[in-house]
Amino acid sequence: MNTSFLLFALLNPLFALLAAPLYMALIRKVKAYAQGRKGPRLFQVYYDLKKLMQKEAVYSPTSSWIMRFTPYLNLSTLLVCSLFVPLVFVPEPAGGLGNIIVFLYLLALERFFTALGGLDAGSAFGGMGSSRSMSLAAVIEPTMVVAFAALAFVLKSLNLHHMFALTAGTVLPISPTLVLVSISLFIILIVETGRLPVDNPATHLELTMINEAMILEQTGKNLVLLELAHALKQFLLMGILINTILPVGLSTEIDAGKIAVSALLFLLKAGLLAIIIGLFESALAKMRLFRLPAFYVMAFFFSALTILIEVFA
Amino acid sequence: MIDPLFLEGIIKVLFVFVLISAGLIISTRNLSSVLTTYTVQSFLLAAVSFLLYLMDGKGQLLLLAGLTLASKVILIPYFISRIEEKIKIGRDLHFAYLEPTPSLLLSIGLILLSYTFLSKVFEGLPLSKLFFFGAVIGLSLTLMGMLVMFSRKKVVTKALGYLSMENGVLMFGLFVTELPFIIEVLIIIDLIILVMLTTILAVGMDSSIEEYRQKFRKLQVWTGVESQ
Protein backbone atom coordinates (compact mmCIF):
# COMPACT_ATOMS: atom_id res chain seq x y z
CA MET A 1 0.00 0.00 0.00
CA ASN A 2 1.67 3.24 -1.07
CA THR A 3 1.03 6.90 -0.23
CA SER A 4 -0.65 7.61 -3.54
CA PHE A 5 -3.16 4.90 -2.80
CA LEU A 6 -3.73 6.04 0.78
CA LEU A 7 -4.50 9.53 -0.44
CA PHE A 8 -6.82 8.07 -3.04
CA ALA A 9 -8.57 5.90 -0.44
CA LEU A 10 -9.21 9.03 1.59
CA LEU A 11 -10.19 11.44 -1.15
CA ASN A 12 -12.20 9.33 -3.57
CA PRO A 13 -14.91 7.94 -1.23
CA LEU A 14 -15.24 11.31 0.50
CA PHE A 15 -15.65 13.12 -2.81
CA ALA A 16 -18.19 10.55 -4.02
CA LEU A 17 -20.14 10.60 -0.77
CA LEU A 18 -20.38 14.39 -0.67
CA ALA A 19 -21.22 14.92 -4.33
CA ALA A 20 -23.52 11.94 -4.95
CA PRO A 21 -26.80 13.33 -3.48
CA LEU A 22 -26.39 16.51 -5.50
CA TYR A 23 -26.89 14.59 -8.74
CA MET A 24 -30.06 12.93 -7.49
CA ALA A 25 -31.30 16.47 -6.90
CA LEU A 26 -30.07 17.71 -10.26
CA ILE A 27 -31.92 14.97 -12.16
CA ARG A 28 -35.06 15.81 -10.15
CA LYS A 29 -34.60 19.47 -11.01
CA VAL A 30 -34.19 18.79 -14.75
CA LYS A 31 -37.34 16.64 -14.69
CA ALA A 32 -39.22 19.39 -12.88
CA TYR A 33 -38.20 21.94 -15.51
CA ALA A 34 -39.17 19.54 -18.29
CA GLN A 35 -42.63 19.31 -16.72
CA GLY A 36 -42.93 23.08 -16.36
CA ARG A 37 -42.37 23.11 -12.58
CA LYS A 38 -39.57 24.75 -10.66
CA GLY A 39 -38.79 21.83 -8.36
CA PRO A 40 -37.04 21.91 -4.98
CA ARG A 41 -33.74 23.73 -4.51
CA LEU A 42 -30.62 21.77 -5.45
CA PHE A 43 -29.34 21.58 -1.87
CA GLN A 44 -32.73 20.61 -0.45
CA VAL A 45 -31.65 16.97 -0.65
CA TYR A 46 -28.91 17.61 1.96
CA TYR A 47 -31.41 19.33 4.30
CA ASP A 48 -33.77 16.39 3.89
CA LEU A 49 -31.03 13.93 4.75
CA LYS A 50 -30.08 16.03 7.80
CA LYS A 51 -33.69 16.14 8.95
CA LEU A 52 -34.10 12.40 8.53
CA MET A 53 -30.86 11.84 10.43
CA GLN A 54 -32.40 13.41 13.54
CA LYS A 55 -35.48 11.20 13.42
CA GLU A 56 -35.94 8.04 15.42
CA ALA A 57 -35.79 4.71 13.59
CA VAL A 58 -39.00 2.70 13.89
CA TYR A 59 -39.02 -1.05 13.26
CA SER A 60 -41.85 -3.36 12.45
CA PRO A 61 -42.42 -5.94 15.25
CA THR A 62 -41.90 -8.78 12.77
CA SER A 63 -38.53 -7.51 11.58
CA SER A 64 -35.23 -9.16 12.46
CA TRP A 65 -31.57 -8.08 12.53
CA ILE A 66 -31.52 -7.99 8.72
CA MET A 67 -33.54 -4.81 8.61
CA ARG A 68 -31.19 -3.10 11.08
CA PHE A 69 -28.10 -4.44 9.36
CA THR A 70 -29.02 -3.76 5.70
CA PRO A 71 -28.54 0.05 5.65
CA TYR A 72 -25.06 -0.20 7.18
CA LEU A 73 -24.06 -3.04 4.89
CA ASN A 74 -25.34 -1.20 1.80
CA LEU A 75 -23.52 2.01 2.49
CA SER A 76 -20.28 0.30 3.46
CA THR A 77 -20.42 -1.91 0.35
CA LEU A 78 -20.89 1.13 -1.84
CA LEU A 79 -18.07 2.96 -0.05
CA VAL A 80 -15.79 0.01 -0.83
CA CYS A 81 -17.06 0.17 -4.42
CA SER A 82 -16.05 3.82 -4.53
CA LEU A 83 -12.45 2.68 -4.08
CA PHE A 84 -12.80 0.79 -7.35
CA VAL A 85 -13.80 3.73 -9.56
CA PRO A 86 -11.23 6.55 -9.76
CA LEU A 87 -13.05 9.88 -9.91
CA VAL A 88 -10.54 12.50 -8.76
CA PHE A 89 -7.29 10.90 -9.88
CA VAL A 90 -6.01 7.48 -10.92
CA PRO A 91 -3.77 6.04 -8.21
CA GLU A 92 -0.93 3.62 -8.63
CA PRO A 93 -2.53 0.19 -8.69
CA ALA A 94 -2.87 -1.63 -5.38
CA GLY A 95 -3.48 -5.36 -5.12
CA GLY A 96 -7.00 -6.50 -6.00
CA LEU A 97 -8.71 -3.13 -5.80
CA GLY A 98 -10.25 -2.01 -9.04
CA ASN A 99 -11.07 -5.53 -10.17
CA ILE A 100 -14.25 -5.41 -12.21
CA ILE A 101 -15.49 -8.83 -11.12
CA VAL A 102 -15.25 -7.95 -7.43
CA PHE A 103 -17.02 -4.68 -8.22
CA LEU A 104 -19.91 -6.53 -9.87
CA TYR A 105 -20.18 -8.95 -6.95
CA LEU A 106 -20.24 -6.09 -4.46
CA LEU A 107 -23.12 -4.52 -6.38
CA ALA A 108 -24.87 -7.91 -6.36
CA LEU A 109 -24.35 -8.18 -2.60
CA GLU A 110 -25.92 -4.76 -2.11
CA ARG A 111 -28.86 -5.69 -4.30
CA PHE A 112 -29.35 -8.99 -2.46
CA PHE A 113 -29.42 -7.37 0.96
CA THR A 114 -31.77 -4.60 -0.20
CA ALA A 115 -34.16 -7.31 -1.36
CA LEU A 116 -33.79 -9.21 1.94
CA GLY A 117 -34.42 -5.98 3.84
CA GLY A 118 -37.57 -5.43 1.79
CA LEU A 119 -38.84 -8.91 2.70
CA ASP A 120 -37.88 -8.63 6.36
CA ALA A 121 -40.46 -6.07 7.48
CA GLY A 122 -43.23 -8.46 6.48
CA SER A 123 -45.30 -5.87 4.61
CA ALA A 124 -46.94 -6.75 1.32
CA PHE A 125 -45.21 -3.95 -0.56
CA GLY A 126 -41.70 -4.91 0.50
CA GLY A 127 -42.17 -8.49 -0.64
CA MET A 128 -43.57 -7.34 -3.96
CA GLY A 129 -40.66 -4.96 -4.53
CA SER A 130 -38.09 -7.60 -3.64
CA SER A 131 -39.68 -10.17 -5.90
CA ARG A 132 -39.74 -7.72 -8.83
CA SER A 133 -36.21 -6.56 -8.17
CA MET A 134 -34.86 -10.11 -8.06
CA SER A 135 -36.65 -11.23 -11.21
CA LEU A 136 -35.29 -8.22 -13.08
CA ALA A 137 -31.84 -8.87 -11.60
CA ALA A 138 -31.88 -12.33 -13.14
CA VAL A 139 -32.13 -10.67 -16.56
CA ILE A 140 -29.86 -7.68 -16.07
CA GLU A 141 -26.97 -9.53 -14.39
CA PRO A 142 -25.84 -11.42 -17.51
CA THR A 143 -26.19 -8.23 -19.53
CA MET A 144 -24.04 -6.38 -17.01
CA VAL A 145 -21.40 -9.09 -17.11
CA VAL A 146 -21.31 -8.99 -20.92
CA ALA A 147 -21.15 -5.17 -20.96
CA PHE A 148 -18.26 -5.08 -18.50
CA ALA A 149 -16.59 -7.93 -20.37
CA ALA A 150 -16.82 -5.81 -23.52
CA LEU A 151 -15.31 -2.88 -21.64
CA ALA A 152 -12.51 -5.12 -20.40
CA PHE A 153 -12.03 -6.45 -23.93
CA VAL A 154 -11.65 -2.98 -25.46
CA LEU A 155 -9.42 -1.56 -22.70
CA LYS A 156 -7.41 -4.78 -22.36
CA SER A 157 -7.65 -5.08 -18.59
CA LEU A 158 -9.95 -6.40 -15.88
CA ASN A 159 -8.94 -3.65 -13.53
CA LEU A 160 -10.87 -0.37 -13.55
CA HIS A 161 -7.80 1.55 -12.34
CA HIS A 162 -5.75 0.22 -15.27
CA MET A 163 -8.56 0.98 -17.70
CA PHE A 164 -8.89 4.57 -16.59
CA ALA A 165 -5.13 5.04 -16.50
CA LEU A 166 -5.23 4.01 -20.17
CA THR A 167 -8.06 6.37 -21.13
CA ALA A 168 -6.96 9.32 -18.94
CA GLY A 169 -5.39 12.10 -20.93
CA THR A 170 -7.29 11.40 -24.14
CA VAL A 171 -10.07 13.76 -25.14
CA LEU A 172 -12.15 11.34 -27.17
CA PRO A 173 -12.79 7.64 -26.49
CA ILE A 174 -9.73 5.66 -27.55
CA SER A 175 -11.68 3.19 -29.66
CA PRO A 176 -14.93 3.68 -31.65
CA THR A 177 -16.35 0.57 -30.04
CA LEU A 178 -16.41 2.40 -26.70
CA VAL A 179 -19.41 4.30 -28.11
CA LEU A 180 -21.26 0.98 -28.30
CA VAL A 181 -20.23 -0.02 -24.76
CA SER A 182 -21.26 3.35 -23.41
CA ILE A 183 -24.82 2.81 -24.67
CA SER A 184 -24.89 -0.45 -22.72
CA LEU A 185 -23.43 1.28 -19.67
CA PHE A 186 -26.08 3.99 -19.91
CA ILE A 187 -28.86 1.39 -19.97
CA ILE A 188 -27.26 -0.38 -17.00
CA LEU A 189 -27.08 2.93 -15.16
CA ILE A 190 -30.79 3.50 -15.76
CA VAL A 191 -31.74 -0.02 -14.68
CA GLU A 192 -29.45 -0.28 -11.66
CA THR A 193 -30.55 3.00 -10.16
CA GLY A 194 -34.22 2.30 -10.73
CA ARG A 195 -35.04 5.15 -13.09
CA LEU A 196 -37.68 5.52 -15.76
CA PRO A 197 -38.59 3.58 -17.93
CA VAL A 198 -37.71 0.70 -15.57
CA ASP A 199 -38.85 2.03 -12.22
CA ASN A 200 -40.21 5.36 -11.12
CA PRO A 201 -38.25 6.80 -8.19
CA ALA A 202 -40.73 9.63 -7.65
CA THR A 203 -43.81 7.58 -6.87
CA HIS A 204 -45.28 5.41 -4.17
CA LEU A 205 -47.73 3.79 -6.50
CA GLU A 206 -48.13 0.07 -5.96
CA LEU A 207 -48.10 -0.70 -9.68
CA THR A 208 -44.84 0.99 -10.52
CA MET A 209 -42.51 0.87 -7.56
CA ILE A 210 -39.64 -1.56 -7.31
CA ASN A 211 -36.83 0.09 -5.41
CA GLU A 212 -39.11 2.35 -3.37
CA ALA A 213 -41.15 -0.66 -2.23
CA MET A 214 -38.09 -2.32 -0.74
CA ILE A 215 -37.10 0.65 1.40
CA LEU A 216 -40.65 1.69 2.29
CA GLU A 217 -40.40 0.35 5.84
CA GLN A 218 -37.06 2.00 6.60
CA THR A 219 -37.09 5.14 8.69
CA GLY A 220 -34.83 7.74 10.27
CA LYS A 221 -31.10 7.35 9.88
CA ASN A 222 -31.46 3.92 8.31
CA LEU A 223 -33.30 5.59 5.46
CA VAL A 224 -30.54 8.20 5.21
CA LEU A 225 -27.94 5.44 4.82
CA LEU A 226 -30.01 3.69 2.15
CA GLU A 227 -30.62 6.93 0.25
CA LEU A 228 -26.92 7.73 0.40
CA ALA A 229 -26.04 4.23 -0.81
CA HIS A 230 -28.46 4.62 -3.70
CA ALA A 231 -27.05 8.02 -4.65
CA LEU A 232 -23.51 6.66 -4.37
CA LYS A 233 -24.32 3.72 -6.65
CA GLN A 234 -25.68 6.10 -9.26
CA PHE A 235 -22.66 8.39 -8.95
CA LEU A 236 -20.19 5.51 -9.35
CA LEU A 237 -21.95 4.09 -12.41
CA MET A 238 -22.03 7.60 -13.85
CA GLY A 239 -18.30 7.78 -13.09
CA ILE A 240 -17.58 4.59 -15.05
CA LEU A 241 -19.59 5.87 -18.02
CA ILE A 242 -17.93 9.30 -17.97
CA ASN A 243 -14.39 7.96 -17.63
CA THR A 244 -15.07 5.59 -20.52
CA ILE A 245 -16.58 7.98 -23.02
CA LEU A 246 -15.19 11.39 -22.01
CA PRO A 247 -12.08 10.93 -19.86
CA VAL A 248 -10.68 14.40 -20.59
CA GLY A 249 -8.99 16.00 -17.59
CA LEU A 250 -8.69 12.90 -15.38
CA SER A 251 -5.41 13.30 -13.54
CA THR A 252 -2.90 10.47 -13.20
CA GLU A 253 -0.48 12.40 -10.97
CA ILE A 254 -0.69 13.49 -7.37
CA ASP A 255 -0.65 17.22 -7.55
CA ALA A 256 -3.06 19.42 -5.57
CA GLY A 257 -3.84 21.67 -8.53
CA LYS A 258 -4.34 18.80 -10.98
CA ILE A 259 -6.54 16.88 -8.55
CA ALA A 260 -8.71 19.95 -7.97
CA VAL A 261 -9.10 20.54 -11.71
CA SER A 262 -9.82 16.86 -12.25
CA ALA A 263 -12.51 16.84 -9.51
CA LEU A 264 -14.08 20.04 -10.81
CA LEU A 265 -14.14 18.76 -14.38
CA PHE A 266 -15.68 15.54 -13.18
CA LEU A 267 -18.43 17.46 -11.38
CA LEU A 268 -19.16 19.36 -14.60
CA LYS A 269 -19.23 16.23 -16.75
CA ALA A 270 -21.44 14.46 -14.21
CA GLY A 271 -23.73 17.49 -14.28
CA LEU A 272 -24.01 17.18 -18.04
CA LEU A 273 -24.74 13.46 -17.78
CA ALA A 274 -27.35 14.12 -15.06
CA ILE A 275 -29.08 16.60 -17.37
CA ILE A 276 -29.09 13.99 -20.15
CA ILE A 277 -30.54 11.38 -17.76
CA GLY A 278 -33.21 13.87 -16.64
CA LEU A 279 -34.21 14.65 -20.22
CA PHE A 280 -34.14 10.95 -21.14
CA GLU A 281 -36.47 10.20 -18.23
CA SER A 282 -38.80 13.04 -19.14
CA ALA A 283 -39.10 11.79 -22.70
CA LEU A 284 -40.10 8.23 -21.76
CA ALA A 285 -43.06 6.63 -20.10
CA LYS A 286 -42.78 3.76 -17.63
CA MET A 287 -42.50 0.45 -19.46
CA ARG A 288 -44.63 -2.54 -18.62
CA LEU A 289 -42.74 -4.98 -16.41
CA PHE A 290 -42.82 -7.76 -19.00
CA ARG A 291 -41.50 -5.53 -21.74
CA LEU A 292 -38.36 -4.62 -19.79
CA PRO A 293 -36.24 -7.54 -21.08
CA ALA A 294 -36.46 -5.92 -24.55
CA PHE A 295 -34.82 -2.83 -23.06
CA TYR A 296 -32.05 -4.91 -21.50
CA VAL A 297 -31.47 -6.85 -24.69
CA MET A 298 -30.51 -3.56 -26.36
CA ALA A 299 -27.67 -3.32 -23.84
CA PHE A 300 -26.78 -6.95 -24.44
CA PHE A 301 -26.87 -6.43 -28.22
CA PHE A 302 -24.49 -3.48 -28.12
CA SER A 303 -22.07 -5.19 -25.74
CA ALA A 304 -22.04 -8.40 -27.78
CA LEU A 305 -21.47 -6.32 -30.94
CA THR A 306 -18.53 -4.62 -29.27
CA ILE A 307 -16.93 -7.94 -28.51
CA LEU A 308 -17.58 -9.12 -32.09
CA ILE A 309 -16.07 -5.97 -33.59
CA GLU A 310 -13.08 -6.07 -31.28
CA VAL A 311 -12.40 -9.66 -32.24
CA PHE A 312 -12.87 -9.20 -35.99
CA ALA A 313 -11.97 -5.66 -37.01
CA MET B 1 -4.56 16.06 -48.03
CA ILE B 2 -6.17 14.39 -45.01
CA ASP B 3 -4.35 11.57 -43.29
CA PRO B 4 -5.83 8.23 -44.54
CA LEU B 5 -5.42 6.67 -41.09
CA PHE B 6 -7.57 9.41 -39.58
CA LEU B 7 -10.20 8.84 -42.30
CA GLU B 8 -10.12 5.10 -41.59
CA GLY B 9 -10.75 5.84 -37.92
CA ILE B 10 -13.77 7.96 -38.78
CA ILE B 11 -15.12 5.29 -41.13
CA LYS B 12 -14.85 2.77 -38.29
CA VAL B 13 -16.85 5.10 -36.02
CA LEU B 14 -19.48 5.38 -38.76
CA PHE B 15 -19.61 1.56 -38.98
CA VAL B 16 -20.46 1.50 -35.29
CA PHE B 17 -23.29 3.98 -35.82
CA VAL B 18 -24.61 2.02 -38.82
CA LEU B 19 -24.84 -1.07 -36.60
CA ILE B 20 -26.61 0.94 -33.90
CA SER B 21 -29.15 2.19 -36.44
CA ALA B 22 -29.74 -1.36 -37.70
CA GLY B 23 -30.42 -2.50 -34.13
CA LEU B 24 -32.84 0.37 -33.61
CA ILE B 25 -34.77 -0.36 -36.82
CA ILE B 26 -35.27 -3.94 -35.64
CA SER B 27 -36.51 -3.05 -32.18
CA THR B 28 -38.30 0.32 -32.40
CA ARG B 29 -42.10 0.29 -32.36
CA ASN B 30 -42.64 3.96 -33.11
CA LEU B 31 -43.09 4.45 -36.87
CA SER B 32 -41.64 7.94 -37.08
CA SER B 33 -38.58 6.82 -35.07
CA VAL B 34 -38.03 3.94 -37.50
CA LEU B 35 -38.15 6.42 -40.38
CA THR B 36 -35.74 8.82 -38.65
CA THR B 37 -33.35 5.95 -37.95
CA TYR B 38 -33.49 4.90 -41.61
CA THR B 39 -32.75 8.46 -42.71
CA VAL B 40 -29.78 8.66 -40.35
CA GLN B 41 -28.54 5.28 -41.59
CA SER B 42 -28.68 6.45 -45.21
CA PHE B 43 -26.90 9.65 -44.26
CA LEU B 44 -24.16 7.60 -42.60
CA LEU B 45 -23.75 5.59 -45.80
CA ALA B 46 -23.47 8.77 -47.83
CA ALA B 47 -20.82 9.97 -45.38
CA VAL B 48 -18.91 6.67 -45.67
CA SER B 49 -19.00 6.98 -49.45
CA PHE B 50 -17.75 10.57 -49.27
CA LEU B 51 -14.90 9.58 -46.94
CA LEU B 52 -13.92 6.75 -49.29
CA TYR B 53 -13.85 9.35 -52.07
CA LEU B 54 -11.47 11.44 -49.98
CA MET B 55 -9.28 8.36 -49.54
CA ASP B 56 -9.33 7.08 -53.14
CA GLY B 57 -10.25 10.13 -55.19
CA LYS B 58 -12.58 8.15 -57.48
CA GLY B 59 -15.30 10.38 -58.91
CA GLN B 60 -17.93 7.65 -58.84
CA LEU B 61 -17.79 7.56 -55.07
CA LEU B 62 -18.65 11.24 -54.88
CA LEU B 63 -21.48 10.66 -57.32
CA LEU B 64 -22.72 7.80 -55.21
CA ALA B 65 -22.64 9.95 -52.07
CA GLY B 66 -24.66 12.65 -53.82
CA LEU B 67 -27.14 10.13 -55.20
CA THR B 68 -27.64 8.52 -51.78
CA LEU B 69 -28.08 11.90 -50.15
CA ALA B 70 -30.66 13.05 -52.67
CA SER B 71 -32.69 9.86 -52.90
CA LYS B 72 -32.42 8.14 -49.55
CA VAL B 73 -31.91 11.01 -47.17
CA ILE B 74 -34.28 13.51 -48.72
CA LEU B 75 -36.71 12.09 -51.27
CA ILE B 76 -37.74 8.68 -49.92
CA PRO B 77 -38.04 9.79 -46.25
CA TYR B 78 -40.14 12.71 -47.47
CA PHE B 79 -42.50 10.34 -49.30
CA ILE B 80 -42.80 7.98 -46.35
CA SER B 81 -43.33 10.75 -43.84
CA ARG B 82 -46.20 12.00 -46.02
CA ILE B 83 -47.65 8.50 -45.94
CA GLU B 84 -47.24 8.28 -42.18
CA GLU B 85 -49.13 11.53 -41.81
CA LYS B 86 -51.95 10.13 -43.91
CA ILE B 87 -52.36 6.75 -42.28
CA LYS B 88 -52.53 8.28 -38.81
CA ILE B 89 -51.03 5.37 -36.90
CA GLY B 90 -48.01 6.09 -34.80
CA ARG B 91 -46.86 2.61 -33.86
CA ASP B 92 -46.29 -0.84 -35.31
CA LEU B 93 -47.08 -3.18 -32.45
CA HIS B 94 -47.66 -6.40 -34.35
CA PHE B 95 -44.90 -8.81 -35.00
CA ALA B 96 -44.98 -12.02 -36.97
CA TYR B 97 -42.80 -14.96 -35.84
CA LEU B 98 -40.29 -12.86 -33.88
CA GLU B 99 -40.60 -10.19 -31.22
CA PRO B 100 -37.89 -7.47 -31.11
CA THR B 101 -35.95 -9.20 -28.29
CA PRO B 102 -35.27 -12.49 -30.10
CA SER B 103 -34.77 -10.54 -33.35
CA LEU B 104 -31.91 -8.61 -31.76
CA LEU B 105 -30.34 -11.79 -30.44
CA LEU B 106 -30.76 -13.42 -33.83
CA SER B 107 -29.10 -10.48 -35.56
CA ILE B 108 -25.98 -10.97 -33.44
CA GLY B 109 -25.96 -14.49 -34.87
CA LEU B 110 -26.45 -13.10 -38.39
CA ILE B 111 -23.42 -10.83 -38.04
CA LEU B 112 -21.36 -13.77 -36.83
CA LEU B 113 -22.64 -15.87 -39.73
CA SER B 114 -21.81 -13.28 -42.37
CA TYR B 115 -18.34 -12.89 -40.88
CA THR B 116 -17.64 -16.61 -41.01
CA PHE B 117 -19.11 -16.88 -44.50
CA LEU B 118 -17.25 -13.91 -45.97
CA SER B 119 -13.94 -14.85 -44.39
CA LYS B 120 -14.20 -18.16 -46.30
CA VAL B 121 -15.19 -16.41 -49.55
CA PHE B 122 -12.48 -13.75 -49.41
CA GLU B 123 -9.75 -16.12 -48.28
CA GLY B 124 -6.61 -15.28 -50.20
CA LEU B 125 -7.98 -12.09 -51.77
CA PRO B 126 -5.95 -8.92 -51.18
CA LEU B 127 -8.74 -7.13 -49.28
CA SER B 128 -7.69 -4.78 -46.47
CA LYS B 129 -9.16 -5.24 -42.98
CA LEU B 130 -11.32 -2.13 -43.25
CA PHE B 131 -12.80 -3.22 -46.57
CA PHE B 132 -13.43 -6.72 -45.34
CA PHE B 133 -15.18 -5.40 -42.26
CA GLY B 134 -17.26 -3.04 -44.41
CA ALA B 135 -18.34 -6.02 -46.49
CA VAL B 136 -19.29 -7.97 -43.35
CA ILE B 137 -21.39 -5.07 -42.06
CA GLY B 138 -22.97 -4.64 -45.51
CA LEU B 139 -24.00 -8.28 -45.67
CA SER B 140 -25.27 -8.33 -42.09
CA LEU B 141 -27.24 -5.11 -42.71
CA THR B 142 -28.90 -6.84 -45.68
CA LEU B 143 -29.79 -9.85 -43.54
CA MET B 144 -31.04 -7.63 -40.71
CA GLY B 145 -33.23 -5.72 -43.18
CA MET B 146 -34.64 -9.04 -44.29
CA LEU B 147 -35.31 -9.89 -40.65
CA VAL B 148 -37.28 -6.66 -40.29
CA MET B 149 -39.26 -7.51 -43.42
CA PHE B 150 -40.44 -10.83 -42.18
CA SER B 151 -40.85 -10.00 -38.49
CA ARG B 152 -43.02 -6.90 -38.93
CA LYS B 153 -46.65 -6.89 -39.97
CA LYS B 154 -47.38 -3.34 -41.11
CA VAL B 155 -46.55 -2.63 -44.72
CA VAL B 156 -44.83 0.66 -44.00
CA THR B 157 -42.29 -1.00 -41.65
CA LYS B 158 -41.80 -3.80 -44.15
CA ALA B 159 -40.97 -1.18 -46.77
CA LEU B 160 -38.47 0.41 -44.41
CA GLY B 161 -36.97 -3.03 -43.80
CA TYR B 162 -36.57 -3.42 -47.54
CA LEU B 163 -34.96 0.00 -47.84
CA SER B 164 -32.55 -0.82 -45.02
CA MET B 165 -31.74 -4.08 -46.78
CA GLU B 166 -30.91 -2.10 -49.88
CA ASN B 167 -28.65 0.09 -47.75
CA GLY B 168 -26.80 -3.11 -46.90
CA VAL B 169 -26.39 -3.87 -50.59
CA LEU B 170 -25.02 -0.39 -51.15
CA MET B 171 -22.57 -0.82 -48.29
CA PHE B 172 -21.44 -4.20 -49.61
CA GLY B 173 -21.05 -2.64 -53.07
CA LEU B 174 -19.00 0.24 -51.70
CA PHE B 175 -16.46 -2.06 -50.16
CA VAL B 176 -16.31 -5.05 -52.48
CA THR B 177 -17.62 -4.80 -56.03
CA GLU B 178 -16.91 -2.62 -59.05
CA LEU B 179 -18.47 0.80 -58.84
CA PRO B 180 -20.00 1.94 -62.17
CA PHE B 181 -22.12 -1.20 -62.28
CA ILE B 182 -23.38 -0.78 -58.75
CA ILE B 183 -24.36 2.84 -59.38
CA GLU B 184 -26.61 1.80 -62.23
CA VAL B 185 -28.15 -0.96 -60.15
CA LEU B 186 -28.73 1.48 -57.34
CA ILE B 187 -30.51 3.98 -59.51
CA ILE B 188 -32.79 1.26 -60.82
CA ILE B 189 -33.46 -0.08 -57.36
CA ASP B 190 -34.23 3.40 -56.11
CA LEU B 191 -36.68 3.90 -58.94
CA ILE B 192 -38.35 0.60 -58.16
CA ILE B 193 -38.66 1.65 -54.54
CA LEU B 194 -40.21 4.95 -55.53
CA VAL B 195 -42.70 3.26 -57.82
CA MET B 196 -43.51 0.74 -55.11
CA LEU B 197 -44.03 3.47 -52.58
CA THR B 198 -46.35 5.45 -54.77
CA THR B 199 -48.38 2.32 -55.57
CA ILE B 200 -48.76 1.52 -51.91
CA LEU B 201 -49.60 5.13 -51.23
CA ALA B 202 -52.55 4.83 -53.57
CA VAL B 203 -54.14 1.95 -51.72
CA GLY B 204 -53.35 2.50 -48.06
CA MET B 205 -50.47 1.51 -45.90
CA ASP B 206 -52.28 1.39 -42.59
CA SER B 207 -53.02 -2.29 -42.89
CA SER B 208 -51.37 -5.65 -42.46
CA ILE B 209 -50.74 -7.75 -45.56
CA GLU B 210 -54.04 -9.64 -45.20
CA GLU B 211 -56.09 -6.49 -44.76
CA TYR B 212 -54.15 -4.95 -47.60
CA ARG B 213 -55.11 -7.73 -50.00
CA GLN B 214 -58.73 -7.32 -49.01
CA LYS B 215 -58.51 -3.62 -49.73
CA PHE B 216 -56.99 -4.44 -53.10
CA ARG B 217 -59.84 -6.80 -53.91
CA LYS B 218 -62.40 -4.29 -52.76
CA LEU B 219 -60.99 -1.60 -55.01
CA GLN B 220 -60.54 -3.97 -57.94
CA VAL B 221 -57.39 -2.11 -58.79
CA TRP B 222 -56.22 -4.54 -61.46
CA THR B 223 -59.47 -4.96 -63.35
CA GLY B 224 -60.48 -1.35 -63.11
CA VAL B 225 -64.03 -2.26 -62.02
CA GLU B 226 -65.32 -0.55 -58.86
CA SER B 227 -66.72 -2.96 -56.28
CA GLN B 228 -70.11 -2.56 -54.71
Side-chain angles (χ1 to χ4, degrees), chain B residues 50-78:
Chain B
F50 182 69
L51 289 174
L52 283 178
Y53 161 72
L54 288 182
M55 272 168 81
D56 285 0
K58 280 185 192 157
Q60 293 101 320
L61 285 166
L62 189 64
L63 205 64
L64 199 58
L67 199 67
T68 313
L69 206 64
S71 62
K72 290 183 187 168
V73 183
I74 299 167
L75 206 62
I76 293 178
Y78 171 74

Side-chain angles (χ1 to χ4, degrees), chain A residues 140 142-151 154 177-192 237 240-241 244-245 280 295-307, chain B residues 16 20 108:
Chain A
I140 194 68
T143 310
M144 244 173 120
V145 171
V146 174
F148 278 98
L151 193 66
V154 180
T177 41
L178 283 180
V179 180
L180 280 176
V181 185
S182 65
I183 298 178
S184 305
L185 288 178
F186 186 78
I187 294 177
I188 287 171
L189 167 67
I190 297 286
V191 176
E192 276 291 309
L237 288 172
I240 294 181
L241 178 56
T244 306
I245 192 84
F280 179 79
F295 186 59
Y296 301 166
V297 164
M298 286 297 275
F300 182 79
F301 176 71
F302 291 130
S303 324
L305 269 190
T306 311
I307 298 180
Chain B
V16 167
I20 293 177
I108 296 177

